[in-house]
């Protein structure tokens, strides 16, 4: 299985339109249901006219009056990519200092071209330049027809004689006009990622950003929803979804200006990131991923899930296996027998992949027995594992499981042979002592030697056994006191951008030589969850918080953008190691089965009854797995709305199968009960509903019965239950 990539088709038609050939071009960037419209004003400005639902009829934009609308009241329409200069006083998408010291840039339309990249994917490139200063800016828009996604990036090229100073180069700018704007964004910290906030934006600037470099998404995520004229609803209303595909510092600004317009600028954070381009050099931004729906945020999620699965995820057609990860079950305290016993148990209970987590490497004084030593020394700990990784991997394969292993290749403990051998490879700000977080430092990925080391680490770890088919790639701290011994003193501000580009170069090389290996994206949980990194990976570790009640919220927010098939979701022990909360095994399974199911516990600690439940639940998961992993998500009850219920459904693409989940998140009293309408079914078909993962009495009155689709979608279903930790999973099949 290989990664799906976009390969420009040489045979595809290419249209090239120049300003001379056609005056005032109208540029329509269209998907099946949406479009973005830009025109060229008489003064040469590229005007952003529209992004929203696709128009059915011919457009009036060819006439000047409409072309230069919407006017902002100050006599000019919003530019498609506002550079600081002229009348631009909002936060600009571009801010340059030219080689003669001038701080202003006026961009004018030069040309655009349209290329068919794939049957359903069209690329529009628009070139602008400044008539006074020789800088070119190319805006690239890729329109994905059936997913209704448009990605945008920008490439700046310095053609001036001297050095060009780039103070800010965003990926995207979007002007919108409505009566009110509601932003859904996310905050958090370790084990509390993706905490949802929805707020009405007010005049002024709201920004969502990261300055951590690594772990850029631990405290906020570069994905958001912007709803017009009211809070985002599930199935109604105009909602934009945006996500920056960048695994470093980012900044999203939402500026409501004096005209009531919302100006959205998104891209790499300009914080301490001044970038210098010599003559002939270019800088390309990451993609901003956009989607729009006039039918609420549910459709926004489905668009993004489809786009990620079709274009931005490794092995999108492969069912993700059920995993047992050793971390919470063994931590670093294991020997060979601990692991082979876990593998034996995993095989008996139905697990398909065993992952050996942290603690298997480093020797002697640098053995990785705690987090104080060993990172960087990626040799097998011969005391713990005398027969090496190959013995364990073969043991797994012999028992019918695949085998995976944990690495954290960007990091180094001061107590390691690597730190002693290559102090110049470690991030450092001048003469300042390096700060430690989790007893570790960060390798300087701006340095090609470090990039080579990481690629070699990956190769060497895979070479430990031909039976390793999965890597968990972790990154457990963020950048403090940035600086690089590799970069010249007048280029230290290139650190943030070059680190992330270095990381992507490493990912590219690894994927080139190891296209088949599964890779999990992990950073102390969900601290590196963005569409830039995700495309190299098969899945992500959502959070180190495995407490089911917390996971309902974390997964719900995560799955607003990122699909369930990539959402690693593990059943752990009770009381939970992070929160101390106790929850029934059924509840823990019912929550984990809504993503990519796994276990994060010592199986031998399960009692007989729990063992049987777990085995049965894993078998059930395998039945519903294609619906969860490849189906459409419909949210029914929102865990954020205060009702104390969370509920959602997945529906298979052919509409014939669905799986329904409901979780009680508080005690609801004796007299209230859960009722909801189902979604995504065919009103004219009949469906059999079977409750799975039953523990004790059934919670659905109609277990095993057949219901008409229109009944289920209009009257709906009710459930027997409302205590803390009640939960229900229903398998719905067309008959
Ligand atoms: C991070 C990860 C965990 C585990 C530990 C190992 O915290 O998120 O899942 O791998 O590191 O040290």
């Amino acid at each position: 299985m290989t990664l799906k990539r976009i390969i420009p088709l040489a045979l595809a038609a290419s249209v090239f339109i120049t300003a001379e050939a056609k005056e005032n071009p109208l540029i329509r960037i269209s998907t099946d249901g949406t479009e973005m419209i830009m025109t060229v004003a008489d003064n040469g400005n590229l005007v952003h006219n529209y992004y929203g639902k696709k128009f059915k009829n011919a457009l009036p934009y060819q006439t000047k009056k409409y072309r230069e609308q919407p006017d902002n009241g100050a006599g000019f329409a919003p530019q498609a990519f506002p550079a600081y200069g002229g009348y631009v006083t909002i936060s600009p998408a571009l801010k340059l200092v030219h080689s003669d010291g001038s701080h202003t840039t006026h961009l004018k339309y030069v040309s655009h071209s349209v290329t068919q990249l794939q049957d359903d994917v069209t690329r529009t490139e628009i070139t602008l330049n400044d008539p006074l200063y020789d800088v070119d800016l190319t805006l690239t828009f890729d329109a994905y027809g059936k997913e209704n996604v448009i990605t945008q990036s920008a490439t700046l090229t310095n053609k001036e004689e001297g050095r060009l100073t780039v103070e800010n180069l965003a990926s995207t700018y979007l002007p919108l006009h409505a009566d009110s704007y509601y932003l859904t964004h996310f905050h958090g910290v370790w084990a509390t990622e993706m905490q949802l906030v929805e707020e009405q934006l007010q005049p002024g600037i709201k920004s969502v950003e990261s300055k951590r470099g690594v772990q850029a998404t631990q405290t906020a995520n570069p994905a958001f929803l912007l709803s017009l004229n009211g809070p985002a609803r599930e199935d109604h209303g105009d909602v934009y979804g945006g996500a920056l595909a960048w695994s470093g510092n980012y900044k999203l600004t939402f500026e409501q200006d004096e005209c009531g317009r919302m100006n959205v600028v998104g891209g790499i954070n300009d914080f301490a990131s001044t970038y210098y381009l010599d003559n002939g050099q270019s800088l390309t931004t990451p993609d901003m991923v956009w989607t729009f729906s006039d039918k609420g945020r549910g459709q926004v999620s489905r668009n993004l899930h489809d786009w990620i699965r079709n274009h931005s995820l490794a092995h999108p057609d492969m069912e993700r296996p059920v995993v047992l990860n050793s971390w919470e079950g063994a931590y670093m305290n294991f020997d060979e027998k601990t692991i082979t016993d876990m593998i034996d148990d995993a095989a008996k209970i139905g697990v398909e992949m065993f992952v050996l987590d942290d603690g298997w490497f480093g020797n002697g004084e640098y053995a990785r027995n705690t987090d104080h030593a060993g990172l960087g020394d990626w040799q097998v700990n011969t005391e713990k594992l005398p027969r090496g990784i190959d013995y364990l991997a073969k043991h797994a394969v012999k028992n019918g499981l695949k085998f995976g292993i944990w690495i954290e290749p960007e990091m180094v403990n001061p107590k390691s042979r690597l730190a002693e051998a290559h102090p110049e490879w470690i991030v450092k700000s001048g003469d300042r002592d390096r700060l430690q977080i989790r007893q570790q430092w960060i390798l300087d990925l701006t340095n090609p030697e470090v990039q080579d080391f990481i690629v070699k680490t990956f190769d060497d770890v895979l070479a430990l056994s031909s039976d390793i088919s999965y890597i968990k790639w972790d990154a457990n701290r963020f950048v403090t006191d940035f600086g690089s011994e590799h970069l010249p003193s007048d280029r230290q501000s290139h650190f943030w951008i070059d680190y992330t580009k270095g990381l992507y170069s490493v990912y590219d090389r690894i994927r080139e030589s190891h296209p088949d290996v599964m890779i999990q994206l992990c950073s102390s949980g969900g601290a590196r969850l963005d569409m830039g990194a995700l495309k190299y990976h098969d899945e992500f570790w959502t959070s180190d918080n495995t407490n089911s009640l917390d996971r309902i919220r974390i997964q719900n927010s995560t799955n607003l953008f990122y699909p369930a098939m990539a959402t690693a979701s593990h059943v752990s022990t009770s009381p939970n190691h992070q929160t101390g909360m106790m929850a029934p095994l059924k509840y823990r399974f019912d929550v984990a089965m809504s993503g990519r199911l796994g276990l994060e516990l010592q199986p031998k600690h399960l009692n007989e009854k729990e063992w049987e439940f777990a085995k049965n639940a894993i078998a059930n998961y395998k039945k519903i797995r294609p619906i969860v992993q490849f189906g459409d998500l419909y949210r029914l009850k929102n865990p954020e709305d205060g009702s104390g219920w969370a509920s959602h459904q997945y529906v298979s693409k052919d509409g014939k199968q669905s799986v329904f989940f409901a979780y009680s998140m508080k005690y609801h009293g004796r007299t209230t009960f859960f009722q909801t309408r189902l979604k995504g079914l065919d009103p004219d078909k009949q469906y059999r509903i079977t409750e799975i993962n039953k523990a004790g009495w059934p919670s659905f009155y109609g277990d095993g019965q057949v219901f008409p689709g229109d009944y289920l979608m209009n009257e709906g279903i009710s459930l027997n239950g409302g205590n803390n930790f009640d939960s229900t999973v229903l398998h719905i099949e067309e008959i």
Side-chain angles (χ1 to χ4, degrees), residues 327 357-358 368 406 438 472 474 476 522 524-525 541 544:
W327 183 240
D357 209 286
D358 198 353
R368 181 77 170 166
W406 178 96
R438 207 193 189 206
K472 173 175 176 178
D474 211 338
N476 279 313
C522 175
S524 305
W541 183 227
D544 274 353

Side-chain angles (χ1 to χ4, degrees), residues 13 62 136 192 242 247 280 300 466 501 521 526 539 541 637 717 722:
Q62 289 296 3
D136 276 3
T192 325
S247 312
V300 164
S466 56
K501 293 209 165 183
L521 175 62
E539 61 174 30
W541 183 227
K637 286 198 189 275
I717 58 167

Side-chain angles (χ1 to χ4, degrees), residues 198-216:
E198 182 170 29
E199 57 183 299
Q200 182 175 0
L201 295 171
Q202 300 297 330
I205 299 179
K206 165 85 191 176
S207 81
V208 177
E209 60 180 288
S210 169
K211 300 191 194 72
R212 297 179 161 220
V214 178
Q215 303 207 308

Side-chain angles (χ1 to χ4, degrees), residues 626-628 630-632 650-659 680:
I627 316 169
V628 172
F630 304 125
D632 289 330
Y650 296 97
V651 180
S652 62
K653 288 283 176 193
D654 66 6
K656 291 180 189 305
Q657 302 242 0
S658 177
V659 54

